[in-house]
């Protein structure tokens, strides 16, 4: 009887140990900032999002400004979906240096949670491709560009990402910039000076002034803090001197339709960021005035709402125009056709009703 009890306890202990080990292995398979399929040798930006810690102030969600309230509620809807799909685990957005024209530039990587069937449901978009790799749900962006695994990330670049993430570990949103060393060397060798639109400063001002960068964002206070790691203290001072003008000049590369929004963003950043050089680091904080985050968001949203609304109207007009052309192609006349008129040739319904079946 004693031997039987000992055997039973041993089996229970072995079983418990197996469950713990299995749980540990399953947990270790969760993607981290520097694990595949999040980061590869050509990854230069990783954004980590703790969706369950994303909280917006009530005054923004219920703002009297419809633009602000709409933006916040739209973001919250997407955050809730990410939470459901990934079972509350950290989500990652990775940006890669494409080494082929048909490869994606950005990827959204989620841990595969119990609600992953929602990931595959609904209408598929031609600008996003869904796939499943290493127990992760992956969305790649770009027309007809599917997920392709890159080569493993180097140990040196892993260290850069880890150093960057430690600086902003307490933020629910962490934006980490760590360009691959081979890319930095190639840029320095092939492009001695930045383009004239950026001020024609030596490229090393940027490449050596920004070995890695980390930015943390807390939506509850709309607070952003950042650290830029330079190679030396002299490199940090050089980059800090030209950084505001680099940001302002970079707007010239943005398409005209979005330029107004980026100009507003750049102006608000330059006017409201606190920046100081500490040894070989540049430290930033936005906004300068504590507690002014909501006001900063409100100012940006008001400026941005103009082009956003304008592009919405243009897209609607294009959809109507396309529906009319499709109607004409199908019926050989503009709406309404002869069958849709009464004996007197009058149309009882507006032409808008007749093109409804041709609107997407």
């Amino acid at each position: 009887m004693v031997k039987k009890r000992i055997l039973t306890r041993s089996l229970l202990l072995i079983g418990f140990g197996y469950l713990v080990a299995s749980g540990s292995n399953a947990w270790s398979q969760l993607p981290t900032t520097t694990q595949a399929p999040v980061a590869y040798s050509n990854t230069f930006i990783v954004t980590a999002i703790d969706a369950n810690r994303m909280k917006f102030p009530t005054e923004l969600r219920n703002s009297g400004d419809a633009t602000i309230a709409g933006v916040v509620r739209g973001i919250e809807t997407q955050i809730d979906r990410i939470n459901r799909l990934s079972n509350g685990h950290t989500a990652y957005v990775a940006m890669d240096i494409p080494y082929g024209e048909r490869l994606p530039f950005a990827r959204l990587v989620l841990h595969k949670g119990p609600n992953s069937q929602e990931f595959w449901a609904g209408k598929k978009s031609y600008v996003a491709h869904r796939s499943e790799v290493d127990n992760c749900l992956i969305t790649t962006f770009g027309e007809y560009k599917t997920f392709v695994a890159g080569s493993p990330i180097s140990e040196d670049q892993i260290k850069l990402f880890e150093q960057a993430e430690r600086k902003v570990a307490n933020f629910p949103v962490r934006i980490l910039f760590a360009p691959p060393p081979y890319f930095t060397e190639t840029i320095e060798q092939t492009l001695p000076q930045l383009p004239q639109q950026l001020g024609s400063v030596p490229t090393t001002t940027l490449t050596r002034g920004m070995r890695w960068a980390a930015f943390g964002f807390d939506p509850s206070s709309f607070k952003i803090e950042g650290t830029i790691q330079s190679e030396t203290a002299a490199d940090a001072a050089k980059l800090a001197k030209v950084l505001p003008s680099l940001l302002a000049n970079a707007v010239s590369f943005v398409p005209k339709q979005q330029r107004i929004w980026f100009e507003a963003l750049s102006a608000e950043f330059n006017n409201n960021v606190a920046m100081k050089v500490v040894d070989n680091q540049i430290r930033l904080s936005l906004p300068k005035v504590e507690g002014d985050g909501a006001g900063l968001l409100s100012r940006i949203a008001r400026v941005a709402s103009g082009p956003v609304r304008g592009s919405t109207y243009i897209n609607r007009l294009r959809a109507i125009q396309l529906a009319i052309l499709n109607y004409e192609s199908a019926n050989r006349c503009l709406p309404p056709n002869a069958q849709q008129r009464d004996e007197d040739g009058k149309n009882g319904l507006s032409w808008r009703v007749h093109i409804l079946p041709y609107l997407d």
Side-chain angles (χ1 to χ4, degrees):
M1 182 65 70
V2 173
K3 288 183 178 179
K4 187 176 181 180
R5 283 202 299 269
I6 293 174
L7 179 61
T8 302
R9 289 175 181 174
S10 299
L11 290 172
L12 287 172
L13 286 171
I14 292 172
F16 178 73
Y18 174 77
L19 288 173
V20 171
S22 299
S24 299
N25 289 337
W27 186 263
S28 66
Q29 290 172 1
L30 290 176
T32 67
T33 299
T34 55
Q35 285 181 345
V38 177
Y40 295 102
S41 61
N42 60 326
T43 302
F44 69 103
I45 295 178
V46 173
T47 300
I49 305 169
D50 293 336
N52 55 354
R53 295 170 57 197
M54 290 279 287
K55 307 294 181 186
F56 285 90
T58 304
E59 59 267 27
L60 291 183
R61 191 186 308 109
N62 301 325
S63 171
D65 189 318
T67 301
I68 295 175
V71 168
V72 171
R73 290 173 185 171
I75 294 174
E76 287 180 330
T77 298
Q78 296 303 318
I79 291 298
D80 288 342
R81 183 170 187 271
I82 288 174
N83 245 333
R84 284 183 56 79
L85 290 173
S86 63
N87 201 28
H89 295 296
T90 303
Y92 298 93
V93 178
M95 302 180 74
D96 304 324
I97 302 166
Y99 49 84
E101 62 179 16
R102 297 190 65 80
L103 295 178
F105 176 68
R107 293 172 285 116
L108 171 64
V109 182
L110 305 174
H111 169 67
K112 184 181 178 182
N115 299 304
S116 60
Q117 70 280 357
E118 296 179 11
F119 180 72
W120 300 102
K123 183 179 178 181
K124 292 186 178 180
S125 171
Y126 74 95
V127 295
H129 178 85
R130 306 172 199 176
S131 53
E132 194 171 317
V133 179
D134 294 342
N135 206 36
C136 293
L137 305 174
I138 300 176
T139 303
T140 52
F141 302 95
E143 189 172 1
Y144 309 122
K145 296 184 179 181
T146 60
F147 172 79
V148 177
S151 55
I153 187 172
S154 68
E155 290 295 328
D156 289 341
Q157 199 179 359
I158 286 176
K159 291 177 182 177
L160 295 181
F161 273 119
E162 288 177 344
Q163 290 173 13
E165 189 157 31
R166 281 196 291 270
K167 281 291 182 180
V168 290
N170 295 327
F171 284 86
V173 179
R174 303 176 294 282
I175 304 171
L176 315 172
F177 173 80
Y182 73 83
F183 179 74
T184 301
E185 293 171 6
T186 301
I187 289 294
E188 290 181 354
Q189 293 171 8
T190 59
L191 189 69
Q193 284 189 313
L194 293 178
Q196 187 176 358
Q197 298 97 313
L198 294 177
S200 298
V201 298
T203 300
T204 52
T205 304
L206 186 60
T207 57
R208 298 181 186 179
M210 191 182 295
R211 282 305 189 191
W212 58 257
F215 299 92
F217 173 55
D218 184 357
S220 66
S221 58
F222 202 72
K223 175 102 177 148
I224 299 173
E225 289 185 0
T227 299
I228 299 175
Q229 178 67 55
S230 303
E231 196 167 291
T232 66
D235 291 319
K238 288 179 184 177
L239 179 59
K241 185 177 180 180
V242 301
L243 192 56
S245 60
L246 279 176
L247 289 172
N249 293 335
V251 175
S252 62
F253 292 94
V254 177
K256 290 183 179 180
Q257 294 86 343
Q258 290 84 33
R259 193 169 296 173
I260 295 177
W261 191 87
F262 278 93
E263 285 175 348
L265 191 63
S266 174
E268 288 291 348
F269 180 88
N270 286 334
N271 292 335
N272 291 282
V273 68
M275 182 170 60
K276 62 179 180 180
V277 178
V278 180
D279 297 327
N280 59 348
Q281 291 184 343
I282 303 172
R283 297 179 186 173
L284 308 108
S285 181
L286 183 76
K288 285 181 182 178
V289 180
E290 191 71 29
D292 190 40
L296 177 61
L297 176 61
S298 177
R299 292 193 295 274
I300 293 174
R302 275 197 295 271
V303 175
S305 62
V308 169
R309 288 169 184 160
S311 64
T312 299
Y313 295 147
I314 291 171
N315 289 336
R316 288 174 180 172
L317 287 172
R318 285 174 178 167
I320 292 172
Q321 182 184 31
L322 183 60
I324 292 174
L325 291 174
N326 287 336
Y327 181 99
E328 191 277 335
S329 177
N331 297 279
R332 302 300 180 186
C333 69
L334 294 174
N337 61 28
Q339 287 77 18
Q340 293 163 337
R341 298 177 183 272
D342 60 21
E343 294 179 354
D344 297 326
K346 294 182 179 180
N347 172 40
L349 297 173
S350 167
W351 61 270
R352 291 185 292 268
V353 178
H354 296 296
I355 67 169
L356 286 177
Y358 301 91
L359 284 170
D360 185 7

